[in-house]
Amino acid sequence: MSDGSFDRTKSMNPAAAAAQSREVQNNPSSVQKPELEYADFDTERAVLACILSDPDCMNTVMTVFGGLQPISHRDTRKKTGKKNSDDLKESVQEGLAGMLFRDPRHAAIFQAVLELNNGDKNIRPDILSVQDALIRKNRLEQIGGLDALLDIQASVGNIANLESWCNILVEWAMLREMIHSCSTALQLARTPGKMVRELLDEIEANLFAVRNSFIRSENKSISDLMEDTFQYFVDLMNRTIEPGIPTGYADLDSLLGGGLKKQEMIVLAARPSIGKTAFALNIARNIAMKQIPDKPRMKVAFFSLEMSAEQVAQRLLCTESHVPLSSIMDRSFNPNELYKLTGAVNNWSNTELYIDPTGGLTIFELRAKARKLKDTHGIDIIIIDYLQLMRAGDASLSKENRQVEVAAISGAVKKLAKDLDVPVLVLSQLNREVESTPTGKPVRPKLSNIRESGSIEQDADVVIFLHRDRDESKENKRESSAQGVVTEVIVEKNRNGKTGEIKVMFHPSLMEFRSITHKYDTKDIPASPES
C-alpha cells in the first residue's frame, strides 16, 4: 500500500524497473507499449475502497480531483476480437475516470461513482448503488461482478490517508499524459509533414494541455471581488453577520477585531503548566455554550493529542460546575455540590463539541477527520492541542530534522483553515529561553521563542502568548486558589488587526480563566457640558 510518497517504479521489482529504464533509453517509442502501465493499482483500489466503505469520502476525493480537466487526446484503439477487458477499456477511456484510473475495471467503478455523485443527491455511492449503476451500463460482469466490488471494499480499513492516495493517482496520471505527449512529439518530429515552426507550436500546445489539465484555476476578477467585499462590509455595519467567532473574552475579541476569523491560523503558545489547554478549553466552552436567539449553537472540534477524551470531559465538567477536579479525585468535595455537577451535565448536553483523542496524529489524518466533521456536523472552529505532538506522516520529511517536519505541519494546518473555511486554533510550546534569565524570572515571550520552527510564526495569522510568573503562583498556592492568578494574554502578531495585551484571572483549581472586571476611574467620567 502507498505511504503517501510518489515513486513511478513502485509497482515494479528492481530488476524489472532497471530493464524498463534501459528499454526506454534505447528505444524511446517503447513507452507506448501497453505492458508499461505506469500506474499504482494498489492505490487505485485503496481510493475505491474508501469510497465504497464510506460514501462521505467523495468530499475528500473531489477536493483533489474536482478541478482536473480530462485531456481529449486519449488513444482510440480499434476493437479486437477480445471481449470484456478491451471493450471495457475503450468504453471508459474518455473522461476523468479514464485519466486517473489506469485499470479499466477501476475506471468503470469510479465512472459509476461519479455518475451517482453528480446525479440525484439522494443517491449515495455505496456498494449497492454502484452495483446497480454498473448493471444499468452492462459493466458489472466486466469488472468481475459483485464479488469484485466486495473484495475492493474490504481491501482498506483506514481512510486517513485518502487525500494522499488521491494525490498519488494525480501524479501517475500526469506522468502518463507527459509520456503520451512526448512520444507523440517524437513521432511528429520523425515524420514531419508541416513546417518546423508549426510543428513546434503543436508540440508546445500539447505539453501546455497536460500542464493546464492538472492545474485548478482559482482566479477571480477584481470587479466581482469588490462587489462581494462591499456587501461584506455593509453586512458587518448592519450587524447581520459577525466579523469572527467571539472567544468569550471581550477585551481579547476587541484586539482580534471581533474574534477568531475564518480561514485564519491562530497560534496559542506558552511554556508548560501555564494553562494553554485550560485556556483553549475555556474558549471552546464559551463558543459551544453561547446561545443566540433564532440561531443554532456553534460546533467545535477539539483534537486532543495529549489527553484522553475522558480527561478533557472531566476538565470541562468541573470548569462548568465550579467543582475542583482535585476535590472529586480525593473525595474531599461536599456531597451537597452534586447538584452543581448535575446542572453542568445538563448544560453540556445541549452543545456540539466533538473531541478526537488520537495521539500522534498525522496531518493526513487530521485533514481527513476534520473534513468528515465539517461535512457531517458543519463544525465552525477547530482546536488542536498541540502542534509539536503532530507528525507530518511523510517518510521523507521524517528523515529530515524536526524543524523541517514541523514547518510542513504548520503549512498544512494553515491550508486546512483555508480549505474548510474555519478558524483553526492550534496550541504550541515555547522553548526554554523564556526562563533562562539571570534572575530566574520568566521574561515576556517573543515570536522567536516558539519551539522547533520559525515557520509557525510565519504561517500564523495570529499569535497569542500566555504569560505569568509560575513560581509566584506556587508560593501562594492557597491564596491563588481562592483569588486566582493574574495572567497576561499577549497578542504578539495579528495580521488583520491590532496587537496588545489583556489581563485575565486564572483559577488553577477550576482550570478556568475569567475576565477581570473593568473598574472605572475618574478619568473615565465624561466631562460635563459647558453651560
Side-chain angles (χ1 to χ4, degrees):
M1 186 58 59
S2 293
D3 62 357
S5 60
F6 173 63
D7 180 1
R8 72 183 184 91
T9 60
K10 174 186 175 299
S11 299
M12 314 168 195
N13 60 51
Q20 175 178 307
S21 179
R22 290 192 297 271
E23 171 74 12
V24 172
Q25 291 176 4
N26 297 329
N27 183 14
S29 63
S30 66
V31 295
Q32 299 178 65
K33 291 184 178 181
E35 63 268 16
L36 302 179
E37 295 290 354
Y38 287 93
D40 186 341
F41 299 119
D42 288 341
T43 301
E44 291 183 7
R45 285 171 59 86
V47 171
L48 294 176
C50 292
I51 298 171
L52 294 176
S53 301
D54 184 356
D56 290 333
C57 288
M58 276 302 291
N59 296 303
T60 300
V61 171
M62 295 313 296
T63 299
V64 180
F65 293 164
L68 304 182
Q69 297 294 325
I71 300 176
S72 59
H73 65 216
R74 295 271 167 207
D75 293 339
T76 54
R77 299 185 181 93
K78 296 180 180 180
K79 289 186 179 181
T80 65
K82 296 181 181 178
K83 300 292 184 180
N84 295 335
S85 180
D86 287 346
D87 290 347
L88 183 62
K89 179 178 288 188
E90 188 165 329
S91 66
V92 296
Q93 275 180 343
E94 298 292 338
L96 185 65
M99 182 175 76
L100 292 168
F101 291 82
R102 182 64 170 171
D103 189 318
R105 294 166 299 178
H106 297 163
I109 295 170
F110 189 69
Q111 181 63 38
V113 168
L114 286 177
E115 291 172 359
L116 291 170
N117 191 65
N118 297 331
D120 188 344
K121 293 183 179 180
N122 293 323
I123 300 180
R124 290 157 53 86
D126 55 26
I127 193 164
L128 294 179
S129 302
V130 173
Q131 178 192 14
D132 180 68
L134 290 169
I135 290 174
R136 285 186 281 107
K137 293 284 187 178
N138 295 320
R139 292 177 180 170
L140 182 62
E141 295 306 317
Q142 292 178 319
I143 63 101
L146 179 59
D147 289 341
L149 288 177
L150 292 172
D151 183 55
I152 290 175
Q153 184 188 42
S155 62
V156 171
N158 188 352
I159 66 173
N161 291 324
L162 174 58
E163 184 178 0
S164 174
W165 295 334
C166 290
N167 284 320
I168 289 173
L169 295 190
V170 172
E171 295 282 352
W172 280 109
M174 190 183 303
L175 179 61
R176 291 194 295 269
E177 297 299 342
M178 287 169 55
I179 291 171
H180 185 282
S181 293
C182 291
S183 61
T184 300
L186 187 60
Q187 289 180 355
L188 291 173
R190 285 178 170 175
T191 56
K194 302 179 181 179
M195 296 294 292
V196 175
R197 294 186 182 276
E198 293 179 3
L199 185 62
L200 183 60
D201 288 340
E202 184 175 346
I203 293 172
E204 284 182 346
N206 289 338
L207 289 174
F208 275 117
V210 174
R211 177 186 292 275
N212 293 335
S213 66
F214 290 94
I215 294 178
R216 291 174 293 182
S217 176
E218 297 181 359
N219 298 324
K220 296 182 179 180
S221 72
I222 188 63
S223 59
D224 292 339
L225 286 173
M226 285 300 176
E227 291 181 9
D228 294 342
T229 303
F230 177 77
Q231 185 60 50
Y232 172 70
F233 286 167
V234 170
D235 292 340
L236 282 177
M237 289 185 287
N238 292 336
R239 298 184 180 275
T240 56
I241 61 172
E242 294 294 332
I245 301 177
T247 64
Y249 300 95
D251 293 339
L252 178 59
D253 292 335
S254 178
L255 281 178
L256 298 178
L260 309 177
K261 298 182 180 65
K262 292 180 178 180
Q263 300 190 11
E264 288 193 345
M265 172 182 170
I266 304 100
V267 174
L268 174 62
R271 287 293 294 152
S273 301
I274 296 297
K276 294 188 301 296
T277 300
F279 193 61
L281 286 175
N282 285 183
I283 291 175
R285 174 205 171 276
N286 295 341
I287 293 173
M289 287 281 189
K290 186 173 182 179
Q291 181 66 64
I292 301 176
D294 301 325
K295 289 187 178 181
R297 287 184 172 178
M298 289 194 168
K299 305 169 183 65
V300 182
F302 191 93
F303 291 89
S304 176
L305 284 77
E306 191 172 29
M307 298 189 300
S308 68
E310 290 75 19
Q311 289 173 319
V312 174
Q314 290 171 4
R315 283 194 172 205
L316 290 170
L317 185 57
C318 289
T319 300
E320 178 67 17
S321 63
H322 289 170
V323 176
L325 178 61
S326 58
S327 67
I328 297 175
M329 292 302 179
D330 63 18
R331 298 174 181 169
S332 63
F333 84 107
N334 188 342
N336 293 329
E337 292 183 329
L338 194 61
Y339 75 94
K340 293 183 179 180
L341 291 171
T342 304
V345 171
N346 184 61
N347 291 343
W348 277 113
S349 65
N350 297 319
T351 64
E352 291 191 65
L353 193 156
Y354 303 94
I355 301 169
D356 188 306
T358 305
L361 195 67
T362 68
I363 191 62
F364 300 112
E365 292 173 322
L366 171 68
R367 295 178 72 170
K369 290 171 179 284
R371 276 205 177 101
K372 187 165 186 177
L373 284 169
K374 178 70 173 179
D375 295 334
T376 56
H377 300 291
I379 55 171
D380 298 289
I381 181 173
I382 296 171
I383 302 176
I384 305 169
D385 183 21
Y386 58 91
L387 187 141
Q388 280 81 8
L389 291 179
M390 291 187 63
R391 291 290 177 264
D394 189 328
S396 61
L397 288 176
S398 299
K399 294 177 182 178
E400 300 285 343
N401 60 51
R402 177 59 178 162
Q403 290 188 351
V404 173
E405 187 176 20
V406 171
I409 295 169
S410 175
V413 170
K414 171 60 180 175
K415 185 176 185 301
L416 179 66
K418 294 186 67 176
D419 289 347
L420 297 190
D421 193 31
V422 298
V424 176
L425 175 62
V426 56
L427 279 58
S428 176
Q429 292 278 21
L430 295 177
N431 57 40
R432 293 181 178 274
E433 292 179 7
V434 295
E435 295 181 350
S436 58
T437 59
T439 61
K441 295 282 186 178
V443 296
R444 288 169 61 91
K446 301 178 295 185
L447 291 175
S448 59
N449 295 135
I450 297 177
R451 182 177 160 190
E452 290 184 332
S453 177
S455 296
I456 299 176
E457 63 184 87
Q458 296 173 15
D459 294 330
D461 297 282
V462 178
V463 177
I464 302 172
F465 294 129
L466 289 184
H467 177 65
R468 62 183 171 88
D469 192 336
R470 190 170 49 188
D471 293 334
E472 181 180 341
S473 66
K474 289 181 179 178
E475 293 171 359
N476 303 306
K477 190 171 183 180
R478 185 173 300 177
E479 180 182 349
S480 66
S481 296
Q483 300 180 2
V485 181
V486 175
T487 303
E488 292 179 276
V489 181
I490 306 167
V491 179
E492 187 70 12
K493 175 184 177 181
N494 189 359
R495 187 166 285 154
N496 300 307
K498 298 179 290 186
T499 59
E501 65 181 67
I502 66 167
K503 291 185 178 180
V504 294
M505 196 68 72
F506 178 49
H507 296 265
S509 61
L510 300 176
M511 293 159 289
E512 182 179 23
F513 287 85
R514 298 176 185 171
S515 296
I516 299 176
T517 304
H518 179 73
K519 296 181 180 180
Y520 289 97
D521 198 354
T522 53
K523 64 182 179 182
D524 295 313
I525 301 175
S528 58
E530 296 180 0
S531 55

